Amino acid sequence: MPESPLDPKVVLGIDGYLEPNVPAIVHRHDLFRKLKDAIEQHEGGYDSFTKGYLKFGLNVGSNGEVVYREWAPNAKEAYLIGDFNDWNRESHSMRKNEFGVWEIVVPPKSPGVCAIPHDSKIKISMILPSGERIERLPAWIKRVTQDLNVSPKYTFKNPRPPAPKDARIYEAHVGISTSEPRVGTYKEFTTHILPRIKRLGYNIIQLMAVMEHAYYASFGYQVTSFFAASSRNGSPEDLKELIDTAHGMGITVLLDIVHSHACKNVLDGINEFDGTDHLYFHEGGKGRHELWDSRLFNYGSHEVLRFLLSNLRFYLEEYRFDGFRFDGVTSMMYVHHGIGTGFSGGYHEYFGPGADNEAIVYLMLANDAMHSIYPQVITIAEDVSGMPLLCVPVSKGGVGFDYRLSMAIPDMWIKLLKHKSDDEWEIGNIVHTLTNRRYGEKSVAYCESHDQALVGDKTLAFWLMDKEMYTHMSDLTPMTPIIARGLALHKMIRLLTHSLGGEGYLNFEGNEFGHPEWLDFPRQGNNNSFHYARRQWNVVDDQLLRYRYLNAFDSEMNNLDEKYTWLASEPAYVSLKHEVDKVIVYERAGLLFIFNFHPTQSFTDYRVGVEEPGEYKVVLSSDEPRFGGFDNIKLDGQYFTTPMEWNGRKNWLQVYIPTRTCLVLGKN
C-alpha cells in the first residue's frame, strides 16, 4: 500500500514557524515515500529488505553448505579463498549476476559437516578490469572464524523488557570496564558491571565500540566490519549473554551505531572494496570527511540502503539490541557536515541547499523501518544543530527519532567551571540552557559523556577538585574547601541536569562517582599504555574514600526518578531564577526542587512558591552525611504551604537552604 502524502497542516500544527519551510519538508517526505514505495514494490517491503544479512555474506545451511554472496560490480572475476582450500585462487570461482552480485555455494565435506572449518581464515579475491588482483575481507562478515556447527549457539533466556518511559542511560565501553591495564571482556562486563548499573538505578545501557574496528584508540568510531562484533572483547555468544543478562535485570540495551562514516582502511575495511572508490561511498571529495579522515556513505544508492538498513535489523535480530544511538547525525544531515558552521537556531539553516536530503531520507527510512518492525525500538540522535522535527514521527513530516542528545548542556557546565568563578555563574543562563528544547521532541540531558572524559579535556570531578583528588579524597584526611565544594557541586549539577534538562538522562561509566583523571587509549603517543584506558572501580569500592558519597547520591537520584518519574513527566515549571541569591526553584512530577548555588550564603526561612497546597516533606537532600554532606537539613522536617501567590504560584512555603545544597520536597 503506497505511503500517504504529507499534509502540510500536520507540520504547521506542530510548529507554525515552519511555514516558509513546508515545501522543503514536503519534498524530503516525497523522496522518502518514493524510496519506501520502491522497497515495497520491488523488495517485498521493509521486512525482506532489511534481512540482507541472510542473503549476503557467508550463511551456513542446515546441511552444512556455505552460501556466499558479495556485491562487487566492478570486479571481472571473483574467488572465495582461505584456509579451507589452501588459499587456492582458482578452485572456488564465483558467479556474477546482472546486479553485480557474486555468488558461490560451497558444498559440505559430508552431510551436515561444514566445508569451512572452525577458526579458519577467509577472503574474497577479485580480478579488476585492469587485470590487477585484489583481496578483501567480506563486507557482510559477521565473524570470520565462526563456524556455527562447532561454536555453541547462544540461546536467549529472557524476553526484552518494555521500553522505559523514563530513560536513564548508562553509557559504557566494554574494553575499559576493567580496573586492570588491559582490554576488558563481555563476560567480565556481564559478571561485574551489570550488577553495578542495576544498583545505580539506570534502566538503559548504551554500549560503545561494539562494531568491529581495527584501531582501538578510535573509541569504536572507525568501523571496519559493520556486521561483526568486536572480537577483542570476546565471542559473539559472550555479547549475546551480556545483553540477555541485562534483559533479565529489566535493563534495555542500545547500540552506539556508526552509519555516519566508515574507516578508510582498504585491506580490513569496505573502502575500495571492488577496486573503485565509489561502491559504498561517494566518489572524490564528497565521499571523504576531512576532519575524521574517513569515508562517507552514498545514501542514494539502493544497495547501500540495503547494507545499512540490514545492519540495523541484524543487531536487533541476532544480538537482540533494543535500539540505537546514531553517531554523527549532524555530519550526515548537512552537506557541510557541520564543519566550520555554527547553528544559531534560525530555521533557514536547516532546509534548502545546506541539507543533505539523501542522508536525511536514509535516517527517515531507518527510523520508520525499525519502528515498523519493532514498535518498542528506541533511537537517539547525536545532533548538535537543533534540527526541527528530528524527534517527530516520519508520518508527521519528522525524521523519526525518539530522543536527541542535548549537547549544549555539557558544554555549558565545562565553560562555567573552566572560565567563571562561582559568584559569576549566571543562573538565568543555566536555566535557559537546560530548558531550551523543542516542546514535544524528547531530549536526553547529560553533564558529561565520553567526549568530556577524553585526554585533552577533564571530567567535571577533575575540573572541580583537580590535584586534591590525589591527596584528600580519603575520610582520614581533612575535608578541604576544594573537596567540599567539589562534592557539593558535583551532586547539584547532576540533579539539576537530571530533573530539569530533558526527558532522558545519560551518564558515562565511572563519572557517577567522580572518576579521577581522564581517558586515553593505548597509542604511540603514550607508549601504548593502558593506564588511562580503564575504570578504577577500586576507588568507589573503598569505604574510606569519598567517591562512595557521589556514587550513593547518583543511585538515590535515579531511584527517586523511578518512584516519581519526572523524566516521563511534562517539563518543569521554573518559578525562581535569582541572580543575587543564586537560587533556582521549580516543580516537576509533583516534586519541589530547590537549589542554592551561592558559594557562601545560606538562607533561613527562604520563601518559595509552589502550586499544590498541603504538607511537604524532604525526599532528597544533597547535604545528608551518606552523600558527603554536613547534615544541616532536618530530614524529618515538615513544610506547610500558605495560600498566598508567590512567584507566580498559588502557594508558598519556607525552607532552610544551606550554601551549595539542593533539596527536593514531596507531598506527605
Side-chain angles (χ1 to χ4, degrees):
M1 182 177 175
E3 184 78 5
S4 301
L6 177 64
D7 183 353
K9 293 178 181 176
V10 173
V11 176
L12 295 176
I14 296 170
D15 185 348
Y17 290 105
L18 285 169
E19 185 172 10
N21 306 110
V22 163
I25 295 168
V26 170
H27 173 64
R28 77 182 187 191
H29 192 268
D30 287 344
L31 295 175
F32 158 78
R33 287 197 302 124
K34 182 179 178 182
L35 278 173
K36 183 176 181 180
D37 290 347
I39 290 170
E40 288 286 341
Q41 185 176 349
H42 303 296
E43 298 282 358
Y46 282 151
D47 186 56
S48 175
F49 190 60
T50 59
K51 286 183 177 176
Y53 54 88
L54 298 179
K55 176 182 178 183
F56 288 86
L58 291 131
N59 286 285
V60 182
S62 57
N63 63 350
E65 73 175 13
V66 177
V67 180
Y68 173 48
R69 296 187 186 93
E70 197 74 70
W71 179 51
N74 186 54
K76 294 302 178 187
E77 299 176 39
Y79 303 87
L80 181 62
I81 62 173
D83 293 340
F84 77 100
N85 66 359
D86 294 324
W87 300 93
N88 187 319
R89 286 164 173 76
E90 304 292 336
S91 63
H92 287 74
S93 61
M94 301 176 70
R95 299 188 313 274
K96 182 182 182 181
N97 69 14
E98 68 270 29
F99 301 110
V101 176
W102 295 89
E103 178 180 334
I104 185 174
V105 178
V106 183
K109 276 186 175 180
S110 57
V113 179
C114 185
I116 301 177
H118 182 57
D119 274 342
S120 66
K121 298 179 177 66
I122 202 165
K123 280 189 176 181
I124 179 174
S125 181
M126 293 172 279
I127 305 293
L128 304 184
S130 64
E132 178 189 1
R133 181 184 288 271
I134 61 172
E135 291 171 356
R136 301 287 187 262
L137 292 180
W140 294 71
I141 196 72
K142 303 178 184 83
R143 183 171 172 86
V144 176
T145 59
Q146 186 179 17
D147 179 343
L148 297 180
N149 293 301
V150 177
S151 301
K153 191 170 176 64
Y154 184 81
T155 302
F156 287 92
K157 305 173 184 66
N158 300 300
R160 299 175 189 267
K165 293 183 172 61
D166 45 345
R168 301 184 298 274
I169 304 168
Y170 196 84
E171 184 183 37
H173 182 291
V174 171
I176 69 165
S177 296
T178 172
S179 295
E180 299 176 23
R182 59 175 174 79
V183 178
T185 68
Y186 299 126
K187 278 194 170 294
E188 290 170 334
F189 193 95
T190 302
T191 303
H192 303 301
I193 310 304
L194 285 182
R196 290 182 184 272
I197 297 170
K198 177 66 175 176
R199 286 195 300 270
L200 284 166
Y202 290 94
N203 53 16
I204 299 176
I205 299 171
Q206 181 176 295
L207 281 183
M208 306 174 63
V210 169
M211 303 166 80
E212 190 61 271
H213 49 290
Y215 185 41
Y216 188 47
S218 74
F219 226 141
Y221 291 121
Q222 293 280 345
V223 176
T224 46
S225 295
F226 282 74
F227 288 83
S230 180
S231 58
R232 57 172 58 87
N233 304 117
S235 72
E237 311 311 307
D238 294 343
L239 176 57
K240 292 174 186 177
E241 182 186 29
L242 187 164
I243 295 167
D244 191 30
T245 305
H247 286 168
M249 295 177 171
I251 298 173
T252 295
V253 187
L254 306 183
L255 173 66
D256 193 347
I257 196 100
V258 186
H259 282 181
S260 49
H261 65 128
C263 180
K264 70 175 185 179
N265 288 12
V266 172
L267 296 181
D268 57 357
I270 61 172
N271 187 22
E272 299 181 18
F273 186 85
D274 68 346
T276 69
D277 77 336
H278 55 268
L279 183 65
Y280 287 97
F281 312 109
H282 287 293
E283 60 184 329
K286 189 177 180 182
R288 288 167 172 80
H289 197 291
E290 62 184 65
L291 293 185
W292 298 343
D293 194 26
S294 55
R295 298 304 313 271
L296 299 173
F297 286 104
N298 176 7
Y299 302 105
S301 162
H302 189 78
E303 289 304 323
V304 172
L305 290 178
R306 187 198 307 276
F307 182 81
L308 294 176
L309 291 174
S310 296
N311 193 226
L312 298 172
R313 180 75 181 274
F314 173 76
Y315 282 107
L316 294 177
E317 291 270 356
E318 184 72 14
Y319 289 97
R320 297 202 183 175
F321 279 98
D322 303 295
F324 306 98
R325 178 260 199 191
F326 280 75
D327 177 67
V329 168
T330 304
S331 174
M332 295 172 72
M333 293 195 299
Y334 304 97
V335 294
H336 49 67
H337 309 301
I339 300 173
T341 304
F343 292 93
S344 66
Y347 282 10
H348 63 283
E349 298 167 338
Y350 304 117
F351 307 99
D356 188 332
N357 276 329
E358 285 184 347
I360 294 171
V361 168
Y362 161 66
L363 293 171
M364 294 167 71
L365 283 167
N367 279 302
D368 190 60
M370 294 308 111
H371 283 96
S372 297
I373 299 165
Y374 287 100
Q376 294 294 305
V377 78
I378 296 172
T379 59
I380 302 173
E382 187 209 25
D383 171 46
V384 73
S385 74
M387 165 71 82
L389 307 179
L390 185 68
C391 299
V392 167
V394 175
S395 61
K396 296 182 178 180
V399 184
F401 285 99
D402 296 297
Y403 297 89
R404 65 176 0 124
L405 292 177
S406 293
M407 300 179 72
I409 295 175
D411 290 344
M412 174 197 69
W413 289 125
I414 293 295
K415 286 175 184 174
L416 278 177
L417 295 174
K418 195 174 181 179
H419 300 296
K420 301 277 189 181
S421 62
D422 293 2
D423 57 354
E424 293 177 320
W425 286 22
E426 296 176 4
I427 297 299
N429 182 61
I430 292 172
V431 171
H432 173 74
T433 304
L434 286 165
T435 57
N436 184 25
R437 57 188 185 272
R438 296 182 60 81
Y439 183 75
E441 298 190 42
K442 293 188 287 189
S443 296
V444 175
Y446 59 106
C447 315
E448 50 189 339
S449 68
H450 67 271
D451 290 323
Q452 286 73 35
L454 288 171
V455 63
D457 207 338
K458 295 181 183 180
T459 62
L460 288 185
F462 221 53
W463 277 114
L464 286 164
M465 295 175 279
D466 210 8
K467 62 184 180 182
E468 288 209 9
M469 294 186 78
Y470 296 113
T471 57
H472 287 83
M473 284 299 277
S474 169
D475 278 334
L476 301 179
T477 60
M479 175 75 84
T480 65
I482 287 176
I483 296 296
R485 170 184 178 267
L487 295 178
L489 290 180
H490 195 273
K491 293 176 288 186
M492 294 178 72
I493 286 170
R494 281 178 142 60
L495 180 60
L496 184 67
T497 303
H498 198 306
S499 56
L500 187 61
E503 290 68 42
Y505 175 77
L506 179 141
N507 168 71
F508 178 63
E509 69 172 317
N511 289 346
E512 68 274 7
F513 63 83
H515 195 284
E517 301 177 324
W518 52 89
L519 190 59
D520 190 13
F521 286 89
R523 55 189 173 85
Q524 191 173 359
N526 65 11
N527 294 319
N528 292 311
S529 170
F530 279 88
H531 182 73
Y532 296 109
R534 59 197 179 103
R535 297 284 87 178
Q536 298 179 44
W537 305 110
N538 52 296
V539 301
V540 71
D541 293 340
D542 190 327
Q543 293 304 298
L544 288 177
L545 297 184
R546 292 174 171 136
Y547 296 99
R548 73 185 192 280
Y549 298 140
L550 300 179
N551 196 71
F553 185 79
D554 199 78
S555 176
E556 190 69 19
M557 178 175 68
N558 283 322
N559 286 296
L560 199 64
D561 174 64
E562 175 69 20
K563 180 178 180 180
Y564 290 97
T565 64
W566 59 69
L567 288 171
S569 301
E570 285 291 299
Y573 182 93
V574 182
S575 61
L576 183 63
K577 299 170 284 186
H578 203 295
E579 296 294 350
V580 176
D581 294 346
K582 304 297 181 192
V583 172
I584 302 171
V585 180
Y586 55 91
E587 295 150 83
R588 191 175 187 188
L591 297 175
L592 179 62
F593 295 83
I594 307 160
F595 290 77
N596 178 10
F597 280 99
H598 202 289
T600 59
Q601 186 72 49
S602 299
F603 299 103
T604 304
D605 295 334
Y606 198 85
R607 186 175 292 188
V608 298
V610 62
E611 189 71 8
E612 288 295 320
E615 179 187 336
Y616 285 75
K617 64 178 181 179
V618 176
V619 296
L620 180 63
S621 163
S622 65
D623 199 46
E624 288 186 52
R626 62 187 175 126
F627 305 139
F630 296 98
D631 202 17
N632 287 320
I633 292 177
K634 285 180 60 178
L635 298 181
D636 58 355
Q638 295 174 305
Y639 302 84
F640 297 94
T641 58
T642 298
M644 181 187 298
E645 186 174 335
W646 190 261
N647 291 336
R649 311 310 275 160
K650 293 178 181 176
N651 305 276
W652 57 259
L653 53 77
Q654 290 180 318
V655 298
Y656 171 58
I657 183 73
T659 173
R660 292 191 181 127
T661 298
C662 51
L663 180 65
V664 185
L665 303 181
K667 287 189 72 173
N668 248 338

